[in-house]
Amino acid sequence: MQKPLHRSVTEKKPYIRRLTGSLPPAASMLRSYKLYLMLLVSSIFFIVCQNQGSITSLVSNVSAASSGPGNDLPLGGPEAVAAPLQALGNDGMELLYGDSEPALGAEKIRSRSLNFKDMPLKPNDRSSSTLSATSTSAATTSTTSSSTTTTARTTPTTTTTKVATTNGVASHSNVPYRFPVDTKQLPPLYIITPTYRRPEQIPELTRLGYTLKHVQNVLWIVVEDSENRTTSVARLLEEIGVPFVQLAAPMPAQYRKQKVKPRGVSNRNRALQWIRANATEGTLYFADDDNTYNLKLFEQLRHVRKVAMFPVGLISKYQVSSPVVKNGTITGFYDGWLGGRKYPLDMAGFAVSVKFLHSRPKAQMPFKPGYEEDGFLRSLEPLDLKEVELLASNCTEILTWHTQARKNPPAPALDRKKYGGTNLVQLTSWLV
């Protein structure tokens, strides 16, 4: 009898059971766990990809806090960033500590900027002499400004801070400040800004300060034309957070009587004196507070060997002051007022190497209105124009502008009877 081609249902069951077999409960549970773990790992991976920035920030904060001397500090605050700097004390790094209130008598270097590369310096590093001189100047009285005709005075006071030591490492409740970083990695910039009290002073310093906040390894030397350093400027410098030195160098009395005054000369000469005493390398640049600066300019200034020149916009009737360059060589100068000057440049149109300044110990700025730039560059001679470096794409770009603010008259006195007890009383403290 011929067998049927298809099995019955009852015959198929044991046949299928023989082929596949039945899974034991343990194997079925293991299979479920594997599926669950795969889903869990996929979910974690997705979350990590979505929050990579936050996790990176958290890890950096934890590592910064763990490298400190063990203070109980909140993550993400300025103290957490300061912790690694405190640990550098054993590596030969001298730390300067700031007070909760600015001490106007001491030439202290302060920084709350996160732009610095936190690198320990070796004790035999050349920049350690700069740090040593800096700490010395912070503890001693201010010296007098050197000039050919007069002496600029500063307030001779000192600052004391209570510094505790833990395992030989200095610690403090405030944020430590230091300058410079490893000069072999990034040459420092010394930005010299003379300033004087006027309605536009604080706004213009604010604009320049927040520009410098984007520049690495910079020290802002702010010199006031006053007998003493003012609290308003000190407060602003602290708030901005750029590393700074605040000095005072009033204009000599005999020049205040002139119709056209040599503004900023005493201030700049005082800054040059400070650089000679505290800096060994880098570049100095006179950056007035009423100018506007492209950040590319500061990066180009870092490697100046002797003297660099570049154009300045919004100057005189020509709207630009610049060297005349042909085939990569200076053939003259283009400026709205030549005045018999050998170097008819604007103050913001040149920069000088610190080492080159040291090679010209008598270089300074003259008290001659209109001839300050020319006199200073002449004092750097011998200087061959072929040695001058041309920045701003061979002087074809404008990276700084002379954008003076509109002059404002002093604010009238506030009517205390009418507005006493209101917010206007506090607002007037910001006005001149």
Side-chain angles (χ1 to χ4, degrees):
M1 181 177 179
Q2 187 177 3
K3 294 183 180 180
L5 297 178
H6 302 283
R7 298 175 185 263
S8 62
V9 176
T10 57
E11 292 177 347
K12 286 182 179 180
K13 288 183 179 179
Y15 179 75
I16 295 175
R17 189 177 295 114
R18 287 196 304 271
L19 292 178
T20 62
S22 61
L23 292 175
S28 178
M29 185 177 299
L30 180 62
R31 190 174 183 180
S32 300
Y33 279 137
K34 287 183 178 180
L35 179 61
Y36 172 76
L37 288 176
M38 291 179 61
L39 293 175
L40 180 61
V41 171
S42 300
S43 301
I44 294 175
F45 180 76
F46 178 77
I47 294 173
V48 168
C49 292
Q50 293 294 324
N51 299 274
Q52 185 177 2
S54 301
I55 293 175
T56 303
S57 177
L58 176 62
V59 171
S60 61
N61 287 335
V62 171
S63 62
S66 62
S67 62
N71 295 335
D72 186 14
L73 300 175
L75 291 176
E79 292 83 359
V81 179
L85 303 186
Q86 293 179 348
L88 297 177
N90 291 333
D91 294 332
M93 176 63 69
E94 298 182 37
L95 302 181
L96 300 180
Y97 293 86
D99 300 318
S100 56
E101 292 295 331
L104 302 183
E107 299 174 8
K108 303 181 66 179
I109 299 177
R110 310 166 187 266
S111 170
R112 297 182 189 273
S113 174
L114 306 185
N115 290 329
F116 278 71
K117 298 181 183 297
D118 299 328
M119 301 178 181
L121 292 183
K122 298 179 181 179
N124 60 352
D125 192 288
R126 294 186 60 186
S127 61
S128 62
S129 61
T130 303
L131 292 164
S132 177
T134 302
S135 62
T136 303
S137 65
T140 57
T141 56
S142 302
T143 57
T144 56
S145 176
S146 60
S147 63
T148 56
T149 57
T150 186
T151 301
R153 294 180 290 113
T154 56
T155 306
T157 58
T158 58
T159 300
T160 58
T161 57
K162 296 181 180 179
V163 180
T165 57
T166 304
N167 298 327
V169 180
S171 61
H172 198 277
S173 59
N174 292 331
V175 180
Y177 310 101
R178 69 187 180 100
F179 183 86
V181 298
D182 193 346
T183 54
K184 294 180 180 179
Q185 297 292 332
L186 192 64
L189 296 180
Y190 298 92
I191 307 301
I192 300 173
T193 301
T195 186
Y196 64 97
R197 181 171 171 79
R198 62 194 190 279
E200 304 82 27
Q201 181 187 37
I202 297 301
E204 291 182 333
L205 284 176
T206 300
R207 176 180 59 189
L208 176 56
Y210 280 101
T211 298
L212 296 178
K213 199 174 180 70
H214 296 281
V215 182
Q216 292 185 346
N217 201 14
V218 63
L219 180 65
W220 194 12
I221 306 177
V222 180
V223 191
E224 297 186 69
D225 186 356
S226 62
E227 293 290 337
N228 303 298
R229 282 163 268 198
T230 61
T231 305
S232 59
V233 173
R235 184 196 304 121
L236 177 65
L237 296 177
E238 288 282 357
E239 289 178 354
I240 293 175
V242 172
F244 71 91
V245 172
Q246 184 184 8
L247 306 175
M251 182 188 299
Q254 63 266 34
Y255 298 111
R256 294 185 180 274
K257 301 177 182 179
Q258 297 181 2
K259 184 176 181 180
V260 181
K261 301 176 178 60
R263 289 195 178 276
V265 175
S266 173
N267 312 55
R268 297 184 183 97
N269 284 336
R270 179 68 185 92
L272 293 175
Q273 181 189 25
W274 190 95
I275 289 177
R276 284 191 172 99
N278 297 280
T280 58
E281 52 190 290
T283 304
L284 68 93
Y285 177 56
F286 298 109
D288 290 348
D289 54 8
D290 58 355
N291 289 353
T292 301
Y293 303 91
N294 189 315
L295 293 178
K296 292 192 298 184
L297 174 64
F298 298 107
E299 297 310 314
Q300 294 181 21
L301 294 177
R302 291 198 184 276
H303 304 283
V304 174
R305 293 183 294 272
K306 288 186 177 181
V307 176
M309 297 181 181
F310 38 90
V312 180
L314 299 180
I315 290 289
S316 74
K317 61 183 180 180
Y318 293 159
Q319 294 294 298
V320 67
S321 173
S322 173
V324 179
V325 180
K326 186 175 183 179
N327 297 326
T329 304
I330 298 178
T331 60
F333 294 92
Y334 187 79
D335 192 274
W337 177 69
L338 299 178
R341 295 181 294 169
K342 182 177 181 180
Y343 303 99
L345 295 170
D346 182 71
M347 191 67 68
F350 64 92
V352 180
S353 164
V354 172
K355 289 183 178 180
F356 188 62
L357 178 70
H358 280 295
S359 69
R360 305 291 188 267
K362 296 183 180 180
Q364 63 178 1
M365 199 162 289
F367 287 89
K368 188 176 181 181
Y371 292 85
E372 295 91 342
E373 302 91 339
D374 182 64
F376 176 68
L377 290 172
R378 284 174 180 266
S379 69
L380 294 174
E381 292 180 340
L383 175 64
D384 193 332
L385 287 180
K386 295 181 180 179
E387 300 176 305
V388 174
E389 299 169 55
L390 303 176
L391 304 186
S393 299
N394 213 29
C395 292
T396 60
E397 298 178 342
I398 298 178
L399 301 179
T400 177
W401 294 265
H402 197 250
T403 51
Q404 288 182 318
R406 179 178 62 88
K407 297 297 182 181
N408 295 275
L414 183 68
D415 188 345
R416 298 279 176 158
K417 293 182 179 180
K418 184 177 181 180
Y419 298 106
T422 68
N423 64 313
L424 297 181
V425 176
Q426 289 180 298
L427 285 179
T428 53
S429 65
W430 292 83
L431 306 178
V432 175

